Amino acid sequence: NAGVTQTPKFRILKIGQSMTLQCTQDMNHNYMYWYRQDPGMGLKLIYYSVGAGITDKGEVPNGYNVSRSTTEDFPLRLELAAPSQTSVYFCASSSESGSYNEQFFGPGTRLTVL
Amino acid sequence: DAKTTQPNSMESNEEEPVHLPCNHSTISGTDYIHWYRQLPSQGPEYVIHGLTSNVNNRMASLAIAEDRKSSTLILHRATLRDAAVYYCILRGNFNKFYFGSGTKLNVKP
């Protein structure tokens, strides 16, 4: 099992450019999440999905879009990059409800917008 | 959504126990308390979780106050590899996590 994989590892964007951060998991998890982490801060939830075709906003969704066409993939789209989106982005997945719902995190994508 | 409060940083000596506190005064009856840690340049990883009773696993112990408004993560013998940021998290619906700022643990040799 590769777990949760993210690409790219690093990216530098110019203001106004767009890009897609890729996230794939091979654990057959229905729940997937995107977080961003600014320097010295905790993670903040951007979007989440409870299954293919179902997504919803988290705490900080502005400036981002997501889609979930398959169980495995959950890409995050930045349409018009702004310096405020400079951050480390983490994707995570977990199984459905129950008392034990460990979230498995990917290694992160470090994005700089100049 | 319920929030958590943790000290910004703590320091411990190697091979001594460490108690990391967390306040969650607005916790609801169905919120599970999760602890994750984040090593430098990595994503967070699971440490332990609980609902009402104290919990033990191979990594740590979790002590939950009777009123559930606070909890303490206990590392029984800190090692240098335990130096990380530790997050106390309340699990919301759809298994959503709300991270606070965490406690940065420094372990001295």
Side-chain angles (χ1 to χ4, degrees), chain B residues 63-106:
Chain B
I64 301 173
E66 198 168 330
D67 64 5
R68 299 208 330 122
K69 293 183 185 297
S70 66
S71 61
T72 302
L73 177 70
I74 302 163
L75 306 179
H76 296 287
R77 289 180 69 224
T79 70
L80 296 178
R81 287 174 295 178
D82 291 323
V85 178
Y86 286 79
Y87 293 101
C88 168
I89 300 161
L90 299 183
R91 193 192 82 187
N93 59 344
F94 301 114
N95 202 31
K96 291 183 288 184
F97 283 2
Y98 297 96
F99 286 76
S101 300
T103 297
K104 185 174 183 179
L105 175 65
N106 181 37

Coordinates of all heavy atoms in Angstrom, one line a residue, chain B residues 63-106:
Chain B
A63 N -5.3 10.6 29.1 CA -6.2 10.7 30.3 C -7.2 11.8 30.0 O -6.9 12.9 29.7 CB -5.3 11.2 31.5
I64 N -8.5 11.4 30.2 CA -9.6 12.3 29.9 C -10.3 12.7 31.2 O -10.6 11.8 32.0 CB -10.6 11.7 29.0 CG1 -9.9 11.3 27.7 CG2 -11.8 12.6 28.7 CD1 -10.7 10.5 26.7
A65 N -10.5 14.0 31.5 CA -11.1 14.5 32.7 C -12.6 14.0 32.7 O -13.2 13.7 31.7 CB -11.1 16.0 32.7
E66 N -13.1 13.8 33.9 CA -14.4 13.3 34.1 C -15.5 14.1 33.4 O -16.4 13.6 32.8 CB -14.7 13.2 35.6 CG -15.9 12.3 35.9 CD -16.0 12.0 37.4 OE1 -15.0 12.0 38.1 OE2 -17.1 11.8 37.9
D67 N -15.3 15.4 33.4 CA -16.3 16.3 32.7 C -15.9 16.5 31.2 O -16.6 17.2 30.5 CB -16.3 17.7 33.4 CG -15.0 18.5 33.3 OD1 -14.1 18.0 32.7 OD2 -14.9 19.5 33.9
R68 N -14.9 15.9 30.8 CA -14.4 15.9 29.4 C -14.0 17.2 28.9 O -13.8 17.4 27.7 CB -15.5 15.3 28.4 CG -15.8 13.9 28.8 CD -16.3 13.0 27.6 NE -17.0 13.7 26.6 CZ -16.6 13.6 25.3 NH1 -15.5 13.0 24.9 NH2 -17.3 14.3 24.4
K69 N -13.8 18.2 29.7 CA -13.4 19.5 29.3 C -11.9 19.7 29.1 O -11.4 20.7 28.7 CB -14.0 20.6 30.3 CG -15.5 20.7 30.3 CD -15.9 21.8 31.2 CE -17.5 21.8 31.3 NZ -18.1 22.1 30.0
S70 N -11.2 18.6 29.5 CA -9.7 18.7 29.3 C -9.2 17.2 29.1 O -9.9 16.3 29.5 CB -9.0 19.4 30.4 OG -9.2 18.6 31.6
S71 N -8.0 17.1 28.6 CA -7.4 15.8 28.4 C -5.9 16.0 28.5 O -5.4 17.2 28.3 CB -7.8 15.1 27.2 OG -7.4 15.9 26.0
T72 N -5.2 14.9 28.7 CA -3.7 15.0 28.8 C -3.1 13.8 28.0 O -3.5 12.7 28.3 CB -3.2 14.9 30.3 OG1 -3.8 16.0 31.0 CG2 -1.7 15.0 30.3
L73 N -2.2 14.1 27.1 CA -1.5 13.1 26.5 C -0.2 12.8 27.3 O 0.5 13.7 27.6 CB -1.1 13.5 25.1 CG -0.2 12.5 24.3 CD1 -1.0 11.3 23.9 CD2 0.4 13.2 23.0
I74 N 0.0 11.5 27.5 CA 1.2 11.2 28.4 C 2.1 10.3 27.5 O 1.8 9.2 27.0 CB 0.8 10.4 29.6 CG1 -0.2 11.2 30.4 CG2 2.0 10.0 30.5 CD1 -1.0 10.5 31.4
L75 N 3.4 10.8 27.4 CA 4.4 10.0 26.8 C 5.3 9.5 27.9 O 5.8 10.3 28.7 CB 5.3 10.9 25.8 CG 4.6 11.6 24.7 CD1 5.5 12.4 23.9 CD2 3.8 10.7 23.9
H76 N 5.3 8.2 28.1 CA 5.9 7.6 29.3 C 7.4 7.8 29.4 O 7.9 8.1 30.5 CB 5.5 6.2 29.5 CG 4.0 6.0 29.6 ND1 3.3 6.3 30.7 CD2 3.1 5.6 28.7 CE1 2.1 6.1 30.5 NE2 1.9 5.6 29.3
R77 N 8.1 7.7 28.3 CA 9.6 8.0 28.3 C 9.9 8.7 27.0 O 10.0 8.0 26.0 CB 10.3 6.6 28.4 CG 10.2 6.0 29.8 CD 11.0 4.7 29.8 NE 12.5 4.9 29.7 CZ 13.3 4.2 28.9 NH1 12.8 3.3 28.2 NH2 14.6 4.5 28.9
A78 N 10.1 10.0 27.1 CA 10.3 10.7 25.9 C 11.7 10.4 25.3 O 12.7 10.2 26.0 CB 10.3 12.2 26.2
T79 N 11.7 10.2 24.0 CA 12.9 10.1 23.2 C 13.1 11.2 22.3 O 12.2 12.0 22.1 CB 12.9 8.7 22.4 OG1 12.0 8.9 21.3 CG2 12.5 7.6 23.3
L80 N 14.3 11.3 21.7 CA 14.6 12.4 20.8 C 13.7 12.4 19.6 O 13.3 13.4 19.0 CB 16.1 12.4 20.4 CG 17.1 12.6 21.5 CD1 18.5 12.5 20.9 CD2 16.9 13.9 22.2
R81 N 13.2 11.2 19.2 CA 12.4 11.0 18.1 C 10.9 11.5 18.4 O 10.1 11.6 17.5 CB 12.3 9.5 17.7 CG 13.6 9.1 17.0 CD 13.5 7.6 16.7 NE 13.5 6.8 17.9 CZ 13.4 5.5 18.0 NH1 13.3 4.8 16.9 NH2 13.4 4.9 19.2
D82 N 10.6 11.8 19.6 CA 9.3 12.3 20.0 C 9.2 13.8 19.8 O 8.1 14.4 20.1 CB 9.0 11.9 21.4 CG 8.7 10.4 21.6 OD1 8.2 9.8 20.7 OD2 9.1 9.9 22.7
A83 N 10.3 14.4 19.5 CA 10.3 15.9 19.3 C 9.4 16.2 18.1 O 9.7 15.7 17.0 CB 11.7 16.4 19.1
A84 N 8.3 16.9 18.3 CA 7.3 17.1 17.2 C 6.3 18.2 17.7 O 6.4 18.6 18.9 CB 6.6 15.8 16.9
V85 N 5.4 18.5 16.9 CA 4.3 19.3 17.3 C 3.1 18.4 17.5 O 2.8 17.6 16.7 CB 3.9 20.4 16.2 CG1 2.6 21.2 16.7 CG2 5.0 21.3 16.0
Y86 N 2.5 18.5 18.7 CA 1.4 17.6 19.1 C 0.1 18.3 19.0 O 0.0 19.4 19.7 CB 1.7 17.0 20.5 CG 2.8 16.0 20.5 CD1 4.1 16.3 20.5 CD2 2.5 14.6 20.5 CE1 5.1 15.4 20.4 CE2 3.4 13.6 20.5 CZ 4.8 14.1 20.4 OH 5.8 13.1 20.4
Y87 N -0.9 17.8 18.3 CA -2.2 18.4 18.2 C -3.2 17.6 18.9 O -3.4 16.4 18.7 CB -2.5 18.5 16.7 CG -1.7 19.4 15.9 CD1 -0.7 18.9 15.1 CD2 -1.9 20.8 15.9 CE1 0.1 19.7 14.3 CE2 -1.1 21.6 15.1 CZ -0.1 21.0 14.3 OH 0.7 21.9 13.6
C88 N -4.0 18.3 19.7 CA -5.2 17.8 20.3 C -6.4 18.2 19.4 O -6.5 19.4 19.1 CB -5.3 18.4 21.7 SG -6.9 18.1 22.5
I89 N -7.2 17.3 19.0 CA -8.2 17.6 17.9 C -9.5 17.0 18.4 O -9.6 15.9 18.9 CB -7.8 16.9 16.6 CG1 -6.4 17.4 16.1 CG2 -8.8 17.0 15.5 CD1 -5.7 16.5 15.1
L90 N -10.6 17.7 18.1 CA -11.9 17.2 18.3 C -12.5 16.8 17.0 O -12.4 17.5 16.0 CB -12.8 18.2 19.0 CG -12.4 18.7 20.4 CD1 -13.4 19.7 20.9 CD2 -12.2 17.5 21.3
R91 N -13.0 15.6 16.9 CA -13.5 15.0 15.7 C -14.9 15.4 15.5 O -15.8 15.0 16.3 CB -13.3 13.5 15.7 CG -13.5 12.9 14.3 CD -13.6 11.4 14.4 NE -14.9 11.0 14.8 CZ -15.3 9.7 15.1 NH1 -14.4 8.8 15.1 NH2 -16.5 9.4 15.4
G92 N -15.2 16.1 14.4 CA -16.6 16.5 14.1 C -17.3 15.5 13.2 O -16.8 14.4 13.0
N93 N -18.4 15.9 12.7 CA -19.2 15.0 11.8 C -18.4 14.8 10.5 O -17.6 15.6 10.2 CB -20.6 15.6 11.6 CG -20.6 16.9 10.9 OD1 -19.5 17.6 10.9 ND2 -21.7 17.3 10.4
F94 N -18.7 13.7 9.9 CA -18.0 13.3 8.7 C -16.5 13.1 9.0 O -15.6 13.3 8.1 CB -18.2 14.2 7.5 CG -19.7 14.3 7.1 CD1 -20.4 15.5 7.3 CD2 -20.4 13.2 6.7 CE1 -21.7 15.6 7.0 CE2 -21.7 13.3 6.3 CZ -22.4 14.5 6.5
N95 N -16.1 12.9 10.2 CA -14.8 12.7 10.6 C -13.9 13.9 10.3 O -12.7 13.8 10.1 CB -14.2 11.4 9.9 CG -13.0 10.9 10.7 OD1 -12.9 11.0 11.9 ND2 -12.1 10.3 9.9
K96 N -14.5 15.1 10.3 CA -13.7 16.3 10.1 C -12.9 16.7 11.3 O -13.4 16.6 12.4 CB -14.6 17.5 9.7 CG -15.3 17.3 8.4 CD -16.1 18.6 8.0 CE -17.3 18.6 8.9 NZ -18.2 19.8 8.5
F97 N -11.6 17.1 11.1 CA -10.7 17.4 12.2 C -10.6 18.9 12.2 O -10.4 19.6 11.2 CB -9.4 16.8 12.0 CG -9.3 15.4 12.3 CD1 -10.4 14.6 12.8 CD2 -8.1 14.7 12.3 CE1 -10.3 13.3 13.1 CE2 -8.0 13.3 12.6 CZ -9.1 12.6 13.0
Y98 N -10.6 19.5 13.4 CA -10.3 20.9 13.7 C -9.1 21.0 14.5 O -9.1 20.8 15.7 CB -11.5 21.6 14.3 CG -12.8 21.5 13.4 CD1 -13.7 20.5 13.6 CD2 -12.9 22.4 12.4 CE1 -14.8 20.4 12.8 CE2 -14.0 22.3 11.6 CZ -14.9 21.3 11.7 OH -16.0 21.2 10.9
F99 N -8.0 21.4 13.8 CA -6.7 21.5 14.4 C -6.6 22.9 15.1 O -6.9 23.9 14.6 CB -5.6 21.4 13.4 CG -5.3 20.1 12.8 CD1 -6.2 19.5 11.9 CD2 -4.2 19.3 13.2 CE1 -5.9 18.3 11.4 CE2 -4.0 18.1 12.7 CZ -4.8 17.5 11.8
G100 N -6.0 22.9 16.3 CA -5.5 24.1 17.0 C -4.1 24.4 16.5 O -3.6 23.8 15.5
S101 N -3.4 25.1 17.3 CA -2.0 25.5 17.0 C -1.0 24.4 17.4 O 0.2 24.4 17.0 CB -1.6 26.8 17.6 OG -2.4 27.8 17.1
G102 N -1.4 23.6 18.3 CA -0.6 22.5 18.8 C 0.5 22.9 19.8 O 0.7 24.1 20.1
T103 N 1.1 21.9 20.4 CA 2.2 22.1 21.3 C 3.5 21.6 20.7 O 3.6 20.4 20.4 CB 2.0 21.4 22.7 OG1 0.8 21.9 23.3 CG2 3.2 21.5 23.6
K104 N 4.5 22.5 20.6 CA 5.8 22.0 20.1 C 6.6 21.4 21.3 O 6.9 22.1 22.2 CB 6.6 23.2 19.5 CG 7.9 22.7 18.8 CD 8.5 23.9 18.1 CE 9.8 23.4 17.4 NZ 10.5 24.5 16.6
L105 N 6.9 20.1 21.2 CA 7.7 19.4 22.2 C 9.1 19.4 21.9 O 9.5 18.8 20.8 CB 7.1 18.0 22.4 CG 7.9 17.2 23.4 CD1 7.8 17.8 24.8 CD2 7.4 15.7 23.4
N106 N 9.9 19.9 22.7 CA 11.4 19.8 22.6 C 11.9 18.8 23.6 O 11.6 18.9 24.8 CB 12.0 21.2 22.8 CG 13.5 21.2 22.6 OD1 14.0 20.5 21.7 ND2 14.2 21.9 23.4

